[in-house]
Structures are given as structure tokens and as C-alpha cells.
């Protein structure tokens, strides 16, 4: 039987910035790889951002990918959950100290700490989810031992925007995010482009509130927590008569769902990263679809390659073409999406893949 030993390392809490870091977990025990043979000498590890591994979004997907890779390789793993951004450097150092061979960092905000750790430990391999770790902005990753796994989610968000405009009855759709950072705004901007394309094609005038493409700014909660600030921001958009709402920022969708239920109106919710219908059935009845990233698949594949001695630092960019991004099924909303609109979404996807429609983003080639 394989052992999947979890070692927790808790750092500075938001409520007590001066608290002493908790001790690191013990080094993982050896296993037999599940087949009675010699254990694989490889230890994959992961550090979450402040959203935690139970965010039902990108942290959770990354963790699931690591678990799947460890099971396939027949090895242990260690995960470290960050409570705040101030934990990142210490958490990474704890994993280095525990002998991790490949460390996965989850999220854009971990990039500076990942670069510092990778530079100080060139013998350790790093996988960066959602950031290229290009801190000097020269177009290349700043350390040779970091592999970025990134996603051009604007392509899938474009489809979601067109779909949302097509189902909207009020002619107003909305979006808000956790922070104004590229991995958040790429969803919001792709969404707005899809609505714009619908208006051009259909001669419509569906409005987007919560994101201004020209100003590159919009509505943001200031973090990735499902809290009253997120709920109030969602309520502000609902008060502008939206009937489709896209929250981008891990668990903040939970606050949006609460605001939707309180409104008593039929307002469709859009999920991000995972198929939220599957990860959080409690909001399944609200979901029109989710804008998916293949974080779990990308993490799994990169770790299996590393475990087999084939680590490749070449960035992976998820697109519609390689199925790294895409829309989830309509699930409970399927009967409310006209067949003609659903068919058009498939046609638009094919056109984006073929290069006939260009979706702008910072990752577009």
C-alpha cells in the first residue's frame, strides 16, 4: 500500500504577524512504490497560495495533480499550505530543507518567492503554476530550473462571454476579481471580448459591468477570500441589473452565490479554473458553465516527467487547441441554452483554434 504522508508547515497568520513559524513536518517515510519493488528516489512537493488547498479552484486542482503523480510514480509527497503572503518564503525554504526534488508553487503571487528559492537552490526543480516567473519582464523565465505552467484563459473566457450575452435577458452581464493581476484579468478581459463579439455579430448592445477593457481596471475585492467584501461587491453588480456574473478569484464565487440567492432573481453564475459544478455541488443549480484550466493535468504530467528524470523547463501554455483551457458542460443550465447558441459556441471555438478569430491576451502568441 502506498503511503501519502502529508507534512504541514504553518507560517505567519494574518491575525498575528509576529507569530513564530511552526516547526516543519518530519521527513517522509520510504515506501515500496506500491509493487514491492525499490522505492523511487523522488519527492514532489507543493506550496499553496493564501487561498489554501480547499479553495475548490486552482490550489485544489494543483494538489490533485500532485497526488495523482505521486500515486503513479509510487512515491510520497509533501504539501505546505500558506495562510498569508508572508508565509511564502519560509514555506518554500521548509520544503527545500525536507529534501524535495521538485517543488510546485501555486499562483501568480508566489512568483517572487519561487524565483528567490530557485536561484538559491539550482539543484532543485520548480514548477510554477499560473506565472512565467519573469520578474525582469524580458520575455523569458528568470531561472533555468523553473517550468511555468500557464493558461491562455482569455480564449475560453471569450466563449463564456459570448454565451453569457446570448442567454442574458436583461442585457447586462458582470464580472469582478480578487486582485488586478494578469492571471485574474485575463478571464475578465476575454469575457468582455466575447460579449463585444456577440454585439458585433448579433447587432446587440449587451453591457459588461465590473471591467473596463480600455482602462484595464474594474471591480476587485482586494484578495481571494469568500468574505463580506466579496459579497458586497457582487451585490453592487447585481444592483446594476446583471443576470450573468463571473467572479474570478478562487473562493470569492461563494460570496457571489450567496448574493445571488439573496437577490431572489435568476442570475447565472460562471465558475473559473475547475468545473465548479463538480467541485462544489452546493452552487451547481446556479452555474451556467465554468471556464476551466487543466491545472491538475498539467501538474500531473510535469511531475511525472520530473520523477522519471525528464524534467523540461519549457513553458506549457494551455490553449483551446491543446485542451489546456475550455468550457465545462452546461449541466443544470443545459435546457436553458438554445441549441443554436450552443452550436455557435462550438463554431467559435473551432474558429479560435484555426486562427480565424483572435482573442487578445498577454499570453497570445
Amino acid at each position: 500500500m502506498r503511503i501519502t504522508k502529508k507534512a504541514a508547515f504553518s507560517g505567519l497568520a494574518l491575525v498575528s504577524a509576529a507569530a513564530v513559524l511552526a516547526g516543519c513536518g518530519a521527513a517522509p517515510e520510504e515506501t515500496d512504490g506500491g509493487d514491492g519493488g525499490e522505492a523511487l528516489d523522488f519527492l514532489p512537493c507543493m506550496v499553496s497560495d493564501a487561498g489554501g488547498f480547499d479553495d475548490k479552484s486552482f490550489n485544489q486542482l494543483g494538489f490533485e495533480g500532485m497526488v495523482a503523480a505521486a500515486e503513479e510514480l509510487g512515491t510520497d509527497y509533501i504539501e505546505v499550505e500558506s495562510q498569508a503572503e508572508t508565509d511564502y518564503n519560509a514555506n518554500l525554504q521548509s520544503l527545500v530543507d525536507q529534501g524535495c526534488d521538485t517543488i510546485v508553487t501555486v499562483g501568480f503571487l508566489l512568483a517572487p518567492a519561487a524565483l528567490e528559492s530557485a536561484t538559491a537552490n539550482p539543484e532543485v526543480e520548480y514548477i510554477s503554476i499560473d506565472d512565467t516567473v519573469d520578474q525582469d519582464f524580458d520575455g523569458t523565465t528568470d531561472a533555468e530550473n523553473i517550468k511555468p505552467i500557464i493558461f491562455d484563459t482569455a480564449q475560453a473566457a471569450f466563449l463564456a462571454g459570448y454565451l453569457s450575452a446570448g442567454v442574458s435577458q436583461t442585457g447586462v452581464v458582470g464580472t469582478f476579481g480578487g486582485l488586478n493581476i494578469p492571471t485574474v484579468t485575463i478571464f475578465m478581459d476575454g469575457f468582455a471580448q466575447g460579449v463585444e463579439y456577440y454585439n458585433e455579430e448579433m447587432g446587440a448592445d449587451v453591457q459588461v459591468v465590473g471591467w473596463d477593457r480600455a482602462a484595464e481596471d474594474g471591480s476587485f475585492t482586494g484578495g481571494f477570500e469568500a468574505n463580506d467584501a466579496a459579497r458586497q461587491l457582487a451585490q453592487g453588480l447585481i444592483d446594476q441589473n446583471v443576470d450573468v456574473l463571473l467572479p474570478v478569484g478562487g473562493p470569492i464565487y461563494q460570496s457571489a452565490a450567496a448574493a445571488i440567492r439573496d437577490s431572489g432573481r435568476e442570475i447565472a453564475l460562471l465558475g473559473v479554473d475547475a468545473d465548479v459544478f463538480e467541485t462544489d455541488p452546493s452552487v451547481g443549480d446556479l452555474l451556467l458553465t465554468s471556464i476551466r484550466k487543466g491545472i491538475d493535468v498539467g501538474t500531473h504530467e510535469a511531475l511525472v516527467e520530473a520523477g522519471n528524470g525528464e524534467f523540461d523547463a519549457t513553458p506549457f501554455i494551455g490553449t483551446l487547441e491543446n485542451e489546456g483551457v475550455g468550457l465545462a458542460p452546461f449541466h443544470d443550465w443545459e435546457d436553458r441554452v438554445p441549441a443554436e447558441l450552443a452550436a455557435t459556441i462550438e463554431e467559435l471555438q473551432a474558429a479560435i483554434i484555426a486562427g480565424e478569430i483572435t482573442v487578445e491576451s498577454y499570453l497570445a502568441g
Side-chain angles (χ1 to χ4, degrees):
M1 187 174 93
R2 292 175 186 155
I3 301 171
T4 52
K5 182 171 183 175
K6 303 177 183 178
F9 180 92
S10 54
L12 302 176
L14 281 169
V15 295
S16 57
V20 179
L21 290 172
C24 302
E29 301 171 7
E30 295 183 1
T31 71
D32 64 3
D35 57 5
E38 185 178 349
L40 181 68
D41 185 19
F42 175 70
L43 181 59
C45 303
M46 178 175 289
V47 57
S48 79
D49 74 359
F53 290 118
D54 191 32
D55 64 354
K56 297 177 175 58
S57 187
F58 62 96
N59 282 286
Q60 179 173 323
L61 287 173
F63 179 69
E64 291 172 356
M66 179 177 69
V67 172
E71 289 178 350
E72 180 172 332
L73 293 166
T75 187
D76 295 334
Y77 62 85
I78 300 174
E79 89 275 16
V80 176
E81 189 166 273
S82 303
Q83 302 301 314
E85 290 184 35
T86 48
D87 294 351
Y88 296 160
N89 290 91
N91 283 346
L92 282 165
Q93 187 59 50
S94 80
L95 295 179
V96 171
D97 292 343
Q98 292 180 81
C100 297
D101 296 295
T102 303
I103 298 175
V104 183
T105 61
V106 187
F108 175 91
L109 296 175
L110 269 156
L115 177 59
E116 182 177 334
S117 184
T119 302
N121 302 281
E123 75 286 355
V124 179
E125 299 162 349
Y126 291 76
I127 296 169
S128 169
I129 295 175
D130 254 358
D131 193 72
T132 58
V133 195
D134 178 16
Q135 298 292 290
D136 59 8
F137 306 105
D138 67 352
T140 60
T141 302
D142 294 337
E144 294 181 356
N145 54 330
I146 299 178
K147 178 184 181 66
I149 299 179
I150 51 182
F151 302 89
D152 193 355
T153 38
Q155 294 185 349
F158 179 99
L159 301 178
Y162 191 100
L163 172 68
S164 298
V167 301
S168 177
Q169 298 298 307
T170 66
V172 186
V173 299
T175 182
F176 69 100
L179 292 171
N180 190 344
I181 57 177
T183 49
V184 170
T185 60
I186 192 172
F187 283 92
M188 302 167 76
D189 202 63
F191 178 76
Q193 289 179 68
V195 174
E196 291 172 6
Y197 191 81
Y198 178 88
N199 288 338
E200 293 169 4
E201 293 294 299
M202 305 302 292
D205 188 28
V206 179
Q207 301 298 306
V208 177
V209 295
W211 176 248
D212 184 329
R213 290 200 66 213
E216 297 184 351
D217 199 8
S219 300
F220 298 94
T221 66
F224 298 109
E225 295 81 32
N227 54 23
D228 192 56
R231 186 167 178 162
Q232 289 182 15
L233 191 50
Q235 184 61 55
L237 296 177
I238 290 171
D239 290 345
Q240 295 180 63
N241 207 30
V242 304
D243 60 357
V244 182
L245 187 55
L246 168 65
V248 186
I252 67 173
Y253 76 87
Q254 296 165 3
S255 301
I260 289 172
R261 294 198 191 282
D262 285 349
S263 75
R265 294 173 45 208
E266 183 175 274
I267 299 172
L269 179 68
L270 292 170
V272 299
D273 298 328
D275 182 349
V276 180
F277 186 93
E278 302 291 347
T279 60
D280 189 358
S282 71
V283 300
D285 60 308
L286 301 177
L287 285 164
L288 170 57
T289 186
S290 295
I291 303 165
R292 294 187 64 254
K293 296 180 185 178
I295 292 173
D296 49 348
V297 176
T299 303
H300 168 263
E301 291 183 357
L303 284 174
V304 169
E305 288 177 355
N308 288 322
E310 300 171 352
F311 176 80
D312 180 2
T314 303
F316 169 81
I317 302 177
T319 63
L320 289 174
E321 184 173 11
N322 63 23
E323 300 183 351
V325 300
L327 290 187
F330 303 143
H331 296 298
D332 287 356
W333 259 82
E334 187 168 6
D335 292 340
R336 286 173 279 179
V337 176
E340 183 177 353
L341 177 58
T344 300
I345 296 299
E346 292 185 5
E347 293 169 2
L348 291 174
Q349 175 167 316
I352 293 170
I353 292 172
E356 297 166 4
I357 295 176
T358 301
V359 182
E360 296 176 4
S361 83
Y362 73 101
L363 292 176

